[in-house]
Amino acid sequence: MTVSGNSAPRSPGGSVDLAAQVGRVAAPLRQQVLDVLRQAILSFHYAPGQRLVERELIEEIGVSRTTIREALRELAAEGLVKTIPQKGAVVVVPSLQEALELYELRAALEALAVRRFTEVASDDQVAELRAAFEQLAEMANGDGDTLRILQAKGQFYDVLLRGCGNRSVHSTLGGVQARLSLLRATSLAQPGRTARSVQELRAMVEAIEARNPEAAVRACNHHIEQAKRAGLEGLSATSGLPFSSASL
């Protein structure tokens, strides 16, 4: 299974040319390398469970060992990479139990954020949420670039969390969503999942606009349940994680 990323330069052999992506934007080198490696993981250029060998990354991207190590440390903090003794850095493969626990935590926190946003957000914040949703819908109807869709979805959730009036929920759920990045990518890679995700979020936005917290929370819960199912199925197909619908 692959995730589309049409903006990434590719080498003559068809593989993603990571070195060509560094220096394309005006950002510190460390941040560029971090962004390139994160994208490579979320687009499955590096598969779940794959070793990230420093020497090979240095050759592939064309930067120093220090820069690579700094980027790997940041990716470990985001939950995308972990360091194993005598093996080094590897792309994270969450166990079924870990994935279920993350989705359970996301469901509880996101339902609270949605309820609070519906009750306390200003009209301007609700309008900002609608605008962020429309941007996400436009991306979903575009070229199918999953990474750009993930970025648009991140912006949508940023508006939601900023407007929920609870800074602890904002910071905690932000961390959970970062750890779910790989699962979100596998979820959106499933056939038809992006379009269904947009419709689920549309129902949530409409309930928020109607200032109906119960309906908004129901739409939120439905969206997360469907995302969980698609994410676990996708991860199973990508990494061999044992999964069946009976596990849910």
Side-chain angles (χ1 to χ4, degrees):
M1 180 186 65
T2 58
V3 179
S4 60
N6 299 332
S7 60
R10 294 181 179 273
S11 66
S15 61
V16 176
D17 186 352
L18 300 185
Q21 297 180 56
V22 175
R24 298 174 67 211
V25 296
L29 179 63
R30 172 181 166 184
Q31 183 62 47
Q32 291 186 59
V33 173
L34 174 60
D35 291 343
V36 164
L37 288 175
R38 184 189 297 113
Q39 175 175 314
I41 291 170
L42 294 179
S43 63
F44 303 101
H45 175 75
Y46 300 128
Q50 181 174 341
R51 287 186 63 198
L52 300 178
V53 181
E54 288 184 3
R55 174 179 48 78
E56 295 175 357
L57 295 177
I58 291 167
E59 294 174 356
E60 187 173 13
I61 302 177
V63 296
S64 70
R65 183 179 301 275
T66 298
T67 302
I68 291 295
R69 286 181 174 177
E70 290 174 346
L72 290 176
R73 281 197 294 269
E74 183 63 30
L75 291 170
E78 294 179 10
L80 291 175
V81 166
K82 66 179 177 180
T83 301
I84 299 175
Q86 284 78 53
K87 190 173 183 180
V90 299
V91 179
V92 163
V93 184
S95 69
L96 176 60
Q97 185 60 35
E98 289 169 338
L100 289 172
E101 288 173 358
L102 282 172
Y103 276 115
E104 183 178 23
L105 184 56
R106 176 191 171 189
L109 291 172
E110 198 165 309
L112 176 58
V114 167
R115 180 179 295 279
R116 289 280 297 160
F117 187 96
T118 307
E119 294 172 342
V120 307
S122 67
D123 290 343
D124 285 345
Q125 288 172 320
V126 173
E128 186 182 3
L129 187 72
R130 165 59 75 169
F133 168 75
E134 295 298 343
Q135 179 68 22
L136 170 59
E138 182 179 344
M139 290 291 181
N141 289 327
D143 59 12
D145 188 330
T146 300
L147 295 172
R148 294 178 64 193
I149 294 170
L150 284 171
Q151 291 171 351
K153 197 169 186 182
Q155 177 60 30
F156 173 84
Y157 277 105
D158 183 61
V159 174
L160 178 70
L161 293 176
R162 282 191 287 106
C164 78
N166 188 316
R167 286 177 294 180
S168 294
V169 169
H170 187 176
S171 61
T172 305
L173 185 54
V176 171
Q177 289 178 332
R179 293 172 64 192
L180 279 166
S181 294
L182 182 61
L183 287 165
R184 293 173 77 181
T186 62
S187 172
L188 291 176
Q190 299 305 294
R193 176 59 201 152
T194 297
R196 292 193 299 273
S197 177
V198 168
Q199 291 308 309
E200 291 156 13
L201 290 176
R202 185 186 304 278
M204 189 171 79
V205 171
E206 290 174 351
I208 289 171
E209 289 173 331
R211 300 292 186 173
N212 186 334
E214 299 302 330
V217 168
R218 283 197 300 272
C220 172
N221 288 339
H222 176 68
H223 172 63
I224 295 172
E225 184 64 27
Q226 297 307 306
K228 176 176 70 174
R229 185 178 299 274
L232 293 177
E233 289 175 348
L235 191 62
S236 177
T238 304
S239 65
L241 177 75
F243 167 77
S244 71
S245 59
S247 303
L248 301 179

